[in-house]
Amino acid sequence: MDFPVCPACGESVIDDDAEDCPFCGAPMKSKPGSKPAAKPAAAKPTAAKPTPAATGKAGSSASMSTTGKPGTATKPVAARGSTSSPADDFPFEAELPGAKTAIQAMPSPSKGRTLEVVCPMCETTGYVPPTAVGKDVKCANTKCMVPVFKAPAPTVEAPPPPPPKKSNLMLVGGITVAIMVIAGGAIVFLSSQPNGQKAGPKVLTDEDRELMQGMASKNAAVEPAVKNGNKPAVDSALPDDKTKTTDATPKTVEDFIAAAIKQLGDACLIGDRRQRSKPYCRQLAAEASVLVGDIKAANEHLSQLVVVGRTVPYYRIQPNLEKFWRAWSAGDKAATKTALDAALADAPKLQTVGRNQMEVAGRLAAALATADRVGEGLAILERHQSDALEGQLAARVQMASDGRIARLSKSAAVLPWTKPQAAATTGSLVNHGQLAAGLTWAQKQPEEETRVECLAIWAEGFAQNAKGAGAMPEIDEAVKTLSPALAARVWARAACGRFAAGDQQGATTALKTAQDLIASVPVPKEPEMPNTKGAISYKQPAAIPLVQAATAAAEIAYAHSLMPSHLTQAEEALELSLNFARGLAPALPAVTAKLDQAEQAGLAGLREKLKQELSLKSDDLASQNVSKYRKVLADMGEASHRRHQLQLNIMSRLAEVGLKTKVWSVVSNRSAETNASRRDDFLGSPLIGILLEAFQGGETEKSIQGALAGATPVWPEGAYVRQFLHQQNYADAAQYVSKLDSNSGLRDEVALMFATNLAAADKADATLGFISKLDDIVLREEAYRLSAALLTQRQRSDAVWKQVLALPQATEKSSLCLGLVVGLKAGPQPKELPEPSLVP
């Protein structure tokens, strides 16, 4: 059965007699000659190429469509950090009477939606078409427990009685005098014009233009926030006529803190469309109050959060964790336990989707580990863990902002973690100075790989904080039960810690220990693709030891790359890492060819082939061997793909940190290999885009372009963004980022990497200009919070405050203010490992 289709939004409507669309409110019967509203087209970058000397489209295979265009955005999430839809928040909504045909109330009035209704359940105000009177409508609050109700008829009030008539003699006289004055002034003005000409249009001065540009910028900044490139956010940003943008900038640290705290408090009281989320404002205000030591104010905000945040009780976790750390530093055991228990009580209500919940869970686990409650911390992370890009990004954000303020970085590990949240918890403990708790947390991880990942982070932090340049027996003791490859990985990160501490000799000593350990691991022979008979008896090499050895050698190469005098050792370690990876299987081209042949032959063809080549006497024996043969090829195909991706990950990371020449040498030599079992074709991967950008303007770039033979390279996502930012074209940079895949975390990673790196480079205008143009208000809030803290640490509080006054949205103001307070109350800037700059 075909349902009627709304001519405006294209949605199917179940009710055949519906006059208005329950989704958008438009009339179901269009006027003659009208056309359905066209969906907005996805914006494309205006730049023709990502670098001056190379062309191509940005995006990796994971974020590109089959046409080569960047991945399009998806539907907005239902709550902060969540990927669930509003329907997921109330799964029984479809069972309510009229739920499917109810007219959706919108949070703000618009043309055709002028009837105000108030939900009897949650008292949320919404707007529906006047024709909805007496019909079922759905509450504008997506979290409402009983969202469907009848729209009441509007109350018609009697007009007020007319005011008593007064004598208008004085009014007439006044108007007459005014007309005479205006006329006389006009005559004098016209007579003063040269040659008796009439006054022409006013010529704009530079001051006028600046004023108009400022107004235009403000108007552009308050466009309705679009979440994930889809529909406007629930609370569109509108100009705040009451905001005094001429307020004097605070002068001292105390003035800035006082002004930020007041702004945070005021933002909590805004109840119109300038308020995306009162609970979120309360959370930030509570956090800031704890940071400045006003526990009474923090408790008041938390009390109000109970009232306005009934559907998001987990918003209380972060402020209570701030209370925990403050009490822990003061040695107040009673307050420490109270705060931690309060945070833990809200943990069961923490969502299990979205990136924010993983960050909160990791921070809570760090506090529990500090309080010697490791078991509870491990239990928390069992429900909030992801090894996908979203989980990796959550771990990096946590390590950059929990217990410290740092830019978003990739320097904590060469390869992705298997358990990012466990690793990030170790990072939080190190940042808070809890090295003993960090070691205990690492040693109690149930899986060996996770244990090593946590030990590596702990060892780096321990080495960075160790006094003197001597041996570190604590690390020796921590790795004594590990295999040589795993112990080498931990010592490589310890070398990074000594380097960050400014002890290059200590870093070299730690690297020597790591190299001696990895040298004891046998290097595998690169497998050859077996023939048909050999494939039947082929035994797949054990993958885990090879991956562990490849990872350790890659970490050693990274540590060497930090020191220019160690370039040769770094290149040798990279080659060793790739040799371990190649031991996993024959190269992908050889295995792919065999898989294609088997697919083309089919079952009958394979049976005859094996019967002949293996001299089998019966079809039954041939059929049994066909199954074995296909299983071997399938396992080999999986291993060869792993070999290919592992090498790509290692070279992509190390090409960014000074080993680009060695990486290109490997790519060019392996691509030209005639033996298919040894030929690794990386020319069609995003690695080529990284190399083209690294070698732009030189002879090597020409060599790479020649090897491509006219093929279009795959560019890394940051290439276009870097070019746009170099041109100070913040709008196009933000637009490009906003169209990247938001579900996987790619969009957020690129946005936060550039925002925090710009802020760390003290580029306030570029930072704030870029962030302000991002489509998603939730992403803007996070970027503002992190970047404001970094800018404030670099004495740019004035720029942050100026942005606070310029923004109309309460949540964005609050994010900037919390970042400002964090930056002013944080300790010295941490020592960080060098990375290639993302700043154009």
Side-chain angles (χ1 to χ4, degrees):
M1 175 180 178
D2 294 331
F3 294 109
V5 177
C6 173
C9 67
E11 295 286 351
S12 296
V13 179
I14 296 177
D15 186 1
D16 292 335
D17 299 325
E19 296 181 1
D20 296 312
C21 176
F23 300 98
C24 67
M28 288 296 293
K29 296 182 180 180
S30 304
K31 295 180 181 180
S34 64
K35 296 181 179 179
K39 295 183 180 180
K44 296 181 179 179
T46 56
K49 53 186 178 181
T51 57
T55 60
K57 294 184 179 179
S60 66
S61 59
S63 64
M64 299 290 289
S65 67
T66 56
T67 60
K69 296 180 180 180
T72 55
T74 57
K75 294 183 179 180
V77 295
R80 180 174 182 83
S82 171
T83 57
S84 63
S85 66
D88 296 330
D89 299 316
F90 191 59
F92 307 108
E93 182 179 327
E95 299 176 9
L96 295 176
K100 294 184 178 180
T101 58
I103 299 172
Q104 177 66 57
M106 302 303 289
S108 56
S110 62
K111 185 177 181 180
R113 287 181 174 272
T114 57
L115 176 62
E116 179 180 302
V117 294
V118 178
C119 176
M121 177 64 187
C122 64
E123 299 183 355
T124 297
T125 300
Y127 296 88
V128 296
T131 56
V133 172
K135 299 180 181 179
D136 287 332
V137 297
K138 188 180 294 185
C139 179
N141 178 12
T142 59
K143 299 291 185 179
C144 182
M145 298 299 293
V146 185
V148 179
F149 57 94
K150 295 285 185 183
T155 303
V156 180
E157 298 181 358
K165 293 184 178 181
K166 296 182 180 180
S167 172
N168 58 2
L169 181 61
M170 293 294 291
L171 177 61
V172 172
I175 292 174
T176 303
V177 172
I179 291 173
M180 294 176 64
V181 171
I182 293 172
I187 293 172
V188 172
F189 177 75
L190 290 172
S191 63
S192 67
Q193 299 303 307
N195 302 326
Q197 296 177 356
K198 295 181 179 180
K202 177 183 177 181
V203 178
L204 293 178
T205 65
D206 290 341
E207 183 177 356
D208 295 329
R209 290 191 179 91
E210 290 182 7
L211 179 60
M212 293 178 68
Q213 290 174 356
M215 293 174 65
S217 299
K218 182 176 180 180
N219 290 337
V222 299
E223 285 293 319
V226 177
K227 187 170 181 61
N228 294 340
N230 197 341
K231 57 186 179 182
V234 172
D235 293 308
S236 298
L238 294 179
D240 179 10
D241 295 333
K242 298 179 181 179
T243 300
K244 296 180 179 179
T245 57
T246 57
D247 287 351
T249 301
K251 301 298 182 185
T252 65
V253 171
E254 292 75 16
D255 290 342
F256 271 112
I257 290 177
I261 292 295
K262 182 180 184 306
Q263 185 70 248
L264 281 160
D266 292 345
C268 294
L269 303 179
I270 295 176
D272 55 25
R273 285 171 288 164
R274 293 167 295 139
Q275 176 63 274
R276 183 188 72 79
S277 171
K278 273 192 175 184
Y280 183 57
C281 285
R282 286 290 181 184
Q283 176 193 339
L284 300 189
E287 288 183 50
S289 297
V290 176
L291 290 172
V292 301
D294 192 346
I295 304 301
K296 179 180 178 182
N299 289 336
E300 290 175 355
H301 286 301
L302 287 171
S303 297
Q304 288 299 315
L305 188 50
V306 175
V307 178
V308 301
R310 293 187 296 273
T311 60
V312 285
Y314 45 86
Y315 277 20
R316 299 191 292 262
I317 295 178
Q318 187 60 33
N320 278 315
L321 289 179
E322 292 294 346
K323 290 170 66 176
F324 165 84
W325 288 113
R326 185 174 183 85
W328 183 270
S329 298
D332 188 342
K333 294 184 178 180
T336 296
K337 186 177 186 305
T338 300
L340 186 54
D341 287 345
L344 192 60
D346 287 324
K349 304 158 192 173
L350 189 61
Q351 294 177 318
T352 55
V353 292
R355 177 164 54 82
N356 182 253
Q357 50 90 16
M358 288 183 276
E359 296 172 27
V360 174
R363 292 184 171 103
L364 179 55
L368 288 165
T370 300
D372 198 21
R373 296 163 65 174
V374 173
E376 292 172 274
L378 292 172
I380 289 290
L381 292 194
E382 285 181 1
R383 303 189 299 272
H384 307 280
Q385 185 85 245
S386 171
D387 62 353
L389 177 57
E390 186 180 50
Q392 305 288 338
L393 177 58
R396 288 160 55 203
V397 171
Q398 179 183 333
M399 293 174 68
S401 58
D402 191 22
R404 62 180 284 187
I405 297 299
R407 61 179 176 163
L408 209 62
S409 171
K410 292 182 179 179
S411 65
V414 172
L415 297 174
W417 295 293
T418 59
K419 292 294 178 66
Q421 278 56 64
T425 298
T426 313
S428 289
L429 290 167
V430 170
N431 294 343
H432 282 289
Q434 305 300 314
L435 290 170
L439 176 58
T440 301
W441 170 262
Q443 291 173 330
K444 290 191 176 182
Q445 294 304 308
E447 298 175 6
E448 183 181 57
E449 184 66 24
T450 311
R451 188 155 58 250
V452 173
E453 290 172 349
C454 294
L455 280 173
I457 294 173
W458 167 82
E460 182 176 342
F462 180 87
Q464 186 169 349
N465 290 280
K467 304 299 182 183
M472 292 176 282
E474 295 87 350
I475 298 180
D476 269 323
E477 179 68 20
V479 303
K480 66 181 182 181
T481 62
L482 299 178
S483 68
L486 296 178
R489 179 176 174 182
V490 175
W491 274 107
R493 295 312 304 190
C496 294
R498 290 314 301 162
F499 180 85
D503 179 14
Q504 186 163 326
Q505 182 57 47
T508 301
T509 301
L511 271 175
K512 176 66 166 55
T513 302
Q515 284 181 299
D516 290 344
L517 287 165
I518 199 66
S520 66
V521 180
V523 181
K525 182 180 179 181
E526 188 169 2
E528 289 283 335
M529 187 68 205
N531 57 23
T532 305
K533 185 175 182 179
I536 295 295
S537 58
Y538 182 82
K539 290 185 178 180
Q540 194 72 35
I544 291 178
L546 292 174
V547 173
Q548 291 174 344
T551 304
E555 291 286 4
I556 292 172
Y558 172 76
H560 276 303
S561 75
L562 299 173
M563 297 170 276
S565 60
H566 289 214
L567 178 60
T568 300
Q569 297 97 312
E571 292 181 344
E572 291 173 351
L574 170 57
E575 186 66 46
L576 178 62
S577 176
L578 297 177
N579 284 336
F580 282 121
R582 291 167 188 151
L584 288 167
L588 193 56
V591 181
T592 300
K594 285 290 186 181
L595 285 168
D596 290 343
Q597 291 173 9
E599 183 69 22
Q600 292 172 4
L603 291 176
L606 280 178
R607 185 168 57 245
E608 291 302 319
K609 175 182 175 67
L610 294 181
K611 188 175 180 180
Q612 181 179 0
E613 294 188 14
L614 301 180
S615 301
L616 301 175
K617 296 181 179 180
S618 69
D619 289 345
D620 288 341
L621 285 175
S623 296
Q624 293 173 15
N625 281 278
V626 165
S627 298
K628 292 180 182 178
Y629 183 70
R630 296 181 70 188
K631 178 68 166 57
V632 168
L633 288 184
D635 291 344
M636 198 179 297
E638 183 178 340
S640 65
H641 275 286
R642 188 172 189 179
R643 159 191 165 139
H644 182 80
Q645 192 60 50
L646 182 57
Q647 290 185 89
L648 265 182
N649 290 343
I650 292 170
M651 289 192 290
S652 296
R653 183 71 183 107
L654 295 181
E656 297 174 333
V657 294
L659 298 182
K660 59 184 181 181
T661 301
K662 174 63 176 178
V663 169
W664 169 239
S665 175
V666 171
V667 170
S668 59
N669 291 336
R670 281 279 162 169
S671 298
E673 176 64 54
T674 57
N675 184 347
S677 295
R678 297 171 53 85
R679 185 170 67 249
D680 292 301
D681 187 5
F682 302 114
L683 294 178
S685 71
L687 174 59
I688 294 302
I690 294 174
L691 292 173
L692 281 171
E693 195 172 17
F695 285 113
Q696 61 179 323
E699 291 300 318
T700 304
E701 182 195 12
K702 296 178 182 178
S703 299
I704 298 173
Q705 292 284 10
L708 289 174
T712 302
V714 180
W715 291 93
E717 287 78 12
Y720 274 113
V721 183
R722 220 180 328 265
Q723 183 193 17
F724 287 138
L725 291 175
H726 179 72
Q727 300 167 349
Q728 298 185 356
N729 190 345
Y730 309 132
D732 283 347
Q735 182 189 44
Y736 179 79
V737 172
S738 296
K739 299 306 176 185
L740 295 175
D741 183 12
S742 59
N743 278 347
S744 69
L746 176 63
R747 179 201 63 179
D748 292 8
E749 179 187 53
V750 175
L752 296 178
M753 283 289 291
F754 274 99
T756 58
N757 275 267
L758 287 167
D762 198 15
K763 293 181 177 289
D765 291 343
T767 304
L768 300 173
F770 169 64
I771 296 173
S772 69
K773 300 298 183 181
L774 294 170
D775 282 353
D776 189 344
I777 187 173
V778 176
L779 180 57
R780 289 202 304 271
E781 291 162 0
E782 183 175 21
Y784 274 141
R785 176 174 56 83
L786 297 173
S787 300
L790 290 167
L791 288 170
T792 300
Q793 274 203 328
R794 288 153 180 79
Q795 288 75 50
R796 295 307 309 273
S797 302
D798 55 340
V800 175
W801 188 250
K802 182 179 178 181
Q803 188 76 351
V804 171
L805 297 179
L807 291 174
Q809 256 292 336
T811 50
E812 292 181 272
K813 287 176 176 286
S814 297
S815 299
L816 282 164
C817 286
L818 177 60
L820 193 151
V821 171
V822 168
L824 292 173
K825 299 299 290 185
Q829 298 176 25
K831 296 177 181 178
E832 299 182 70
L833 295 174
E835 276 195 295
S837 177
L838 290 177
V839 180

